[in-house]
Amino acid sequence: MFAVHLLSFYFSKLKEDQIKKVDRFLYAMRLSDDQLLDISARFRAEMEKGLNGESNPTAAVKMLPTHVLSTPDGSEKGEFLALDLGGSRFKVLQVKVSEDGKQKVEMESQTYPIPEETVNGRGTDLFNHVAESLKDFMQKNHINQKKKPLGFTFSFPCRQSKLDEGVLLSWSKNYKARGVQGANVVESLRQAIARAGGMDVEVLALVNDTVGTMMTCGYDDQHCEVGVIVGTGTNACYMEELRHIDLVEGDEGRMCINTEWGAFGDDGSLDDFITDFDREIDAASINPGKQLFEKMVSGMYMGELVRLILLKMTKQGLLFEGRASEALRTKGKFQTKHVALIEKYKEGLKNTRDILQDLGLNPSEDDCVAVQHVCTIVSFRSANLCAAALAAILTRLRENRKQKTLRTTVGVDGTVYRTHPQYPKRLHKVVRRLVPECHVRFVLSESGSGKGAAMVTAVAQRLVAQRGEIDSTLAPFALTQQQLQGVRDRMRAGLERGLRKDTHGTASVKMLPSYVYRTPDGTENGKYLALDLGGTNFRVLVVKIRSGLRKSVRMYNKIYAIPLEIMQGTGEELFDHIVQCISDFLDYMGMKNTCLPLGFTFSFPCRQTGIDKGTLVSWTKGFKATDCEGNDVVDMLREAIKRRNEFELDIVAVVNDTVGTMMTCAYEDPECEIGLIAGTGSNVCYMEEMRNIETVEGDEGRMCVNTEWGGLGENGSLEDIRTKYDREVDEGSLNVGKQRFEKMTSGMYLGEIVRQILTDLTRRGLLFRGHITECLKTRGIFETKFLSQIESDRLALLQVRSILKNLGLDSTCDDSIIVKEVCGAVSRRAAQLCGAGMAAVVEKIRENRGLDHLNITVGVDGTLYKLHPHFSGILKDTVRELAPKCDVTFVLSEDGSGKGAALITAVARGEI
């Protein structure tokens, strides 16, 4: 028993000594976490160089765009052919992808050998061999009934300008076929297929094997956005934000980048980590100075690296009593598969002895221990280096998303990863240690990169089909110049109908006289009270106007909420609430006993018979208070003040918010004779010639007319441009059939139009994986402010996804792009329609005045105009195109229509 323990102690001591001996000899290959983090940081810097347009030509890590814009979402379907060329064998596959409630992939494949003379011969012979193999496979499997889409996995560095085009940059993995480098390999394949004849195929996608691996795993795990190969060669790809890729146009969405990380270090950035053994490997390779990282990591070189180390240790008398065999001196005799066998958990030492004996060596027990440890160090360094570079990619993904933690999946393939017993565990462990903030799942690609090529082709087909459906859905929102001219002309006709006495009663554009006869001239003076009611908030103001050289307007105000139950209760309740707010404000200002002249901004259609008389025509913007329509709102306000019996007010003017906006801007700019509101509602007012206003007596001078242009289309004049989504929004509104132009242009409805489109696209499986959430079913949940946020140029898609997530919509990057596109189509049409309407107004003013050219200013207010990043620009462009004889300046109203109400009151009082 003692002898057994003694032997066990002796063997463990022997093993320890041998390990220390190897560690000392290979100390440069043992990398600490600090060194790995340093390598990771260097790789990140190389990624930046490769993505940057200026530094890419000289970058070692090429960061090649693949034009693969999306990972699988599970809805892919169809039958595809795939070719997989990248090693000593070549594979042809038929892949059937079905989506009958559950994702299913069926594959048939055949592997064809590639003779060495073909690999090293002419490029045309190589592609002829590929085409003939494809033909053989198709004939055996009876695949010639109809045209088949084909994906081509080509595992060599290519520069792609589109998905079905790729120029070979350089051969690797011992391929040397002449005349291919610098050529488009897809075209070479197409020509070879044509020469072979008898095949009806369409090459749709060129795919790197790493990309194929990511796509294969991505079909089963939609979190997969990284692909890694550790086999004969090594490489990685990942989904990068398009805005960071200088080599391709566009900022929206993501694209898979083939890093070609095997070339990391070719520019000297890894020189302090490269050992003499690595240099010897490199010098003896077919591409010295190239693919240095690959030569430290991949299976093509790992066995040879071990052989060189063992040979040197033998020469120094550290192994095999200093006696090397002929096989140990022969390049390629020690293979990477031997490394895997030697590192097996239980059989490792036995395998070591057998392999060494096959190499003509007579190893002792301590030789076997030492050789096993050499293999461990070489393969562990490979896993460490791979982990360091992968950690850089994961960190970049996390930072791209601005997330503290990242959850993602890495798809992996390659013989080293598959067959080496320790490699996956080591790689996973080191990655998790280097980037603890990244929660990474590693998935082995079960079906290889051929399936991935089919998946890329399937995704490309899906995207083309989706693009067609989305384009057709949004096409009605893209108004032509002719359609916009038609809207302009209909608006012009609507203005004329509203002004004429005989048609005014039936006109959809009401053209309501405001009894405001002039704009401010700078002589206005005094202190005024103003009320501003037009939405869910109600504002009470004191406005102090001073004239003279230092004219100024100072305002003090308080904002009060109008609860929904008040908006849609009785008229008496609404006006009692308004008076209660006024009472609170007067208390706040200490003005209960002061009777100031008051201007009342009331932002709803009113028929006025005087400056202080306004009969409500109809509620808009969600108001539904009863017993108000057909009644004078000034009288209703006076009655409510009487009921409260706390204070008196001198109500001088009732004002539409559009008129208030015009007056506010006109105080600063005398050329301002038009007011525009582009916010919750949409409306325009302008200074019309009295002779044209048949509903008011008098022919001299001008009067401001409140067009109430939101009613355009109530007579059916806009049916040719209204979409089914506009009709759905109208049918769900409080005033069905009314304010049709407003429902296509104003903030109250644009978000709901977008929601209707998103719901339809989701129902058709084009968005959110076809899953209609309760949130998406909720009317009004998609507010117009989201359009402004989503369309902001400064906002990354990641933030768009965050907005959608807050709405309960779990979106992919592709979903976010589509949502942004939908928002853009809806808001662009709204701005163009407003521009067409404005063109009608300015042209009318120009013709009224008999001018060849009109210079005029428009005062504008409203959240849509103020906050939407593109609305104002599109509006101005449309006016410029449709009214070329008018030079229109738009001035934003900074102080709102409350100040305008006070100015109208001052103008009406004529105080100096």
Side-chain angles (χ1 to χ4, degrees), residues 650-825:
D650 178 13
I651 305 172
V652 174
V654 61
V655 184
N656 182 275
D657 57 343
T658 322
V659 182
T661 296
M662 180 189 76
M663 295 296 274
T664 299
C665 295
Y667 187 69
E668 306 294 340
D669 182 347
E671 287 195 342
C672 182
E673 298 182 82
I674 304 175
L676 166 67
I677 297 287
T680 307
S682 178
N683 195 15
V684 157
C685 70
Y686 71 101
M687 296 302 291
E688 177 60 86
E689 307 299 315
M690 282 288 293
R691 66 179 183 274
N692 294 333
I693 310 172
E694 295 183 8
T695 54
V696 176
E697 289 188 7
D699 291 334
E700 298 299 323
R702 295 172 185 158
M703 180 190 285
C704 180
V705 171
N706 166 21
T707 66
E708 288 298 335
W709 76 359
L712 182 70
E714 289 176 12
N715 59 358
S717 63
L718 295 177
E719 286 312 296
D720 58 322
I721 63 168
R722 286 176 83 224
T723 67
K724 65 177 184 177
Y725 308 109
D726 296 309
R727 293 184 181 96
E728 284 165 357
V729 167
D730 182 33
E731 285 161 16
S733 69
L734 292 170
N735 53 351
V736 181
K738 303 291 185 185
Q739 299 294 104
R740 287 182 175 171
F741 186 73
E742 180 169 87
K743 286 170 184 169
M744 298 166 80
T745 56
S746 76
M748 185 164 184
Y749 302 99
L750 297 190
E752 182 59 14
I753 296 173
V754 168
R755 188 189 71 83
Q756 292 285 354
I757 298 171
L758 300 186
T759 303
D760 184 38
L761 292 177
T762 306
R763 194 177 289 116
R764 286 152 56 193
L766 301 169
L767 262 182
F768 309 132
R769 300 187 182 92
H771 180 51
I772 297 180
T773 61
E774 283 305 312
C775 168
L776 199 55
K777 293 177 188 173
T778 307
R779 183 172 295 278
I781 195 74
F782 203 98
E783 298 174 45
T784 298
K785 70 177 181 182
F786 298 137
L787 274 74
S788 299
Q789 293 168 1
I790 286 169
E791 291 188 69
S792 169
D793 295 328
R794 298 187 305 277
L795 212 61
L797 284 177
L798 182 64
Q799 292 159 294
V800 175
R801 289 178 74 178
S802 175
I803 291 168
L804 295 173
K805 189 175 182 181
N806 289 338
L807 288 170
L809 300 169
D810 184 19
S811 66
T812 64
C813 180
D814 297 332
D815 290 336
S816 301
I817 294 170
I818 295 168
V819 170
K820 191 166 185 176
E821 202 175 334
V822 170
C823 291

Side-chain angles (χ1 to χ4, degrees), residues 481 488 835-836 838-839 842-843 853 872-890:
Q481 187 79 351
R488 176 198 63 194
M838 183 58 71
V842 295
E843 271 295 300
H853 191 87
S872 60
I874 296 166
L875 169 63
K876 292 170 189 175
D877 290 343
T878 308
V879 175
R880 200 177 298 118
E881 288 164 12
L882 298 183
K885 295 181 180 178
C886 301
D887 188 0
V888 185
T889 302
F890 289 82

